[in-house]
């Protein structure tokens, strides 16, 4: 069975600092992996996705993530945090087969301090 | 292009009352999902539709929850009767069928059961 673990339920950074949100996955087959962002009282918005092409994936708003099979990780990074990046971030893995089902991690709240 | 529309955005009811949530997916999206998001958690799939057929409802508590997607477009999720533990955000998402297609999420309905 596939699963996702996000390390750290809360991450706090200063504006302009590096953002690193950690995600580890468990999958017996090559996974499809996703990062979503959720702003307060809004739905989830896709930041980026890994679909077995390039291991370094670039997304919207300056975010990127690197797929590392050896570490079963898909960490999300951004070189310089903006105040507007404060939100909840979810890592997700797509269940194998043509199901479309996503399994989400518990989420990480990113706080950006001025 | 209009996004996924959900209504109502907020609903407060007393326990044992019925409640219904409505979702209008993005035009042309065959696949529709209902997710449950508890506070501080990632979304969990309740049911997935391919057109008007419910192809995965294994996580739907069928004793009190029901859903329908007549004509393969709009969908309604119903709870009857509601319990205190049903307080959560109910998210609707839609996607094109097949592959690692992005799921587009609506803003959700926040249900409070008193």
């Amino acid at each position: 069975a596939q699963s996702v673990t996000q390390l750290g339920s809360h991450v706090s950074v200063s504006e302009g600092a590096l953002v690193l949100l950690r995600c580890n996955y468990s999958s017996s087959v090559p996974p499809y992996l996703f990062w979503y962002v959720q702003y307060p009282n809004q739905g989830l918005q896709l930041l980026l996705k890994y679909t077995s092409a390039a291991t370094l994936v670039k997304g919207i708003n300056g975010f990127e993530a690197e797929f590392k099979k050896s570490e079963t990780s898909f960490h999300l990074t951004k070189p310089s945090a903006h105040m507007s990046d404060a939100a909840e971030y979810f890592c997700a893995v797509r269940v194998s087969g043509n199901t479309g089902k996503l399994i989400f991690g518990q989420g990480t709240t990113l706080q950006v301090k001025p | 292009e209009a996004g996924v529309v959900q209504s109502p955005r907020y609903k407060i009811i007393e326990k044992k009352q019925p409640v219904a949530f409505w979702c209008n997916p993005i035009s042309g999206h065959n696949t529709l999902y209902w997710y449950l998001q508890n506070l501080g958690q990632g979304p969990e799939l309740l049911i997935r539709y391919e057109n008007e057929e419910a192809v995965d409802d294994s996580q739907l508590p069928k004793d009190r929850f029901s859903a329908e997607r007549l004509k393969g477009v709009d969908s309604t999720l119903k709870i009857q009767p509601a319990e205190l533990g049903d307080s959560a955000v109910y998210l609707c998402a839609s996607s094109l069928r097949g592959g690692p297609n992005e799921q587009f999420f609506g803003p959700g309905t926040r249900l409070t059961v008193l």
Side-chain angles (χ1 to χ4, degrees):
Chain A
Q2 285 141 311
S3 65
V4 168
T5 301
Q6 291 183 240
L7 302 177
S9 58
H10 288 83
V11 170
S12 182
V13 301
S14 297
E15 190 173 20
L18 171 71
V19 175
L20 171 61
L21 304 182
R22 301 177 186 274
C23 172
N24 287 87
Y25 69 90
S26 172
S27 178
S28 58
V29 298
Y32 291 147
L33 294 162
F34 304 80
W35 274 101
Y36 282 85
V37 61
Q38 185 176 32
Y39 298 100
N41 298 317
Q42 295 186 28
L44 280 70
Q45 179 184 7
L46 183 68
L47 280 176
L48 49 81
K49 64 183 179 183
Y50 168 75
T51 59
S52 73
T55 56
L56 181 62
V57 181
K58 294 187 183 297
I60 62 172
N61 301 339
F63 284 93
E64 63 182 35
E66 186 173 7
F67 173 72
K68 292 187 176 180
K69 183 178 179 180
S70 61
E71 299 178 7
T72 61
S73 69
F74 190 57
H75 301 332
L76 182 71
T77 61
K78 182 174 180 178
S80 177
H82 294 165
M83 297 296 293
S84 60
D85 294 327
E88 186 87 11
Y89 291 80
F90 293 96
C91 182
V93 63
R94 182 185 168 107
V95 173
S96 59
N98 193 26
T99 68
K101 180 176 179 178
L102 294 177
I103 295 175
F104 287 86
Q106 306 93 318
T108 298
T109 301
L110 176 65
Q111 180 187 23
V112 182
K113 297 177 292 185
Chain B
E1 177 182 90
V4 177
V5 179
Q6 290 188 248
S7 68
R9 290 293 313 278
Y10 304 90
K11 188 73 175 179
I12 301 174
I13 62 172
E14 294 188 348
K15 63 181 181 181
K16 301 185 181 180
Q17 294 299 305
V19 65
F21 315 125
W22 175 80
C23 173
N24 179 244
I26 291 173
S27 178
H29 282 190
N30 315 82
T31 309
L32 184 145
Y33 313 78
W34 282 103
Y35 286 89
L36 166 68
Q37 185 177 22
N38 286 305
L39 186 64
Q41 300 291 321
E44 299 174 24
L45 182 69
L46 287 172
I47 189 168
R48 176 172 69 96
Y49 282 93
E50 293 290 349
N51 298 309
E52 65 274 8
E53 182 183 1
V55 295
D56 183 358
D57 62 356
S58 57
Q59 302 302 310
L60 189 71
K62 299 182 182 63
D63 57 335
R64 297 184 299 107
F65 286 65
S66 64
E68 60 183 12
R69 191 184 184 197
L70 300 177
K71 301 181 181 179
V73 181
D74 295 0
S75 178
T76 302
L77 177 69
K78 298 178 182 178
I79 308 175
Q80 182 172 10
E83 298 179 352
L84 295 177
D86 296 331
S87 295
V89 176
Y90 293 82
L91 294 165
C92 179
S94 69
S95 72
L96 295 171
R97 184 175 181 178
N101 290 309
E102 176 183 355
Q103 294 183 24
F104 292 82
F105 284 79
T109 297
R110 182 177 297 276
L111 174 66
T112 302
V113 182
L114 303 175

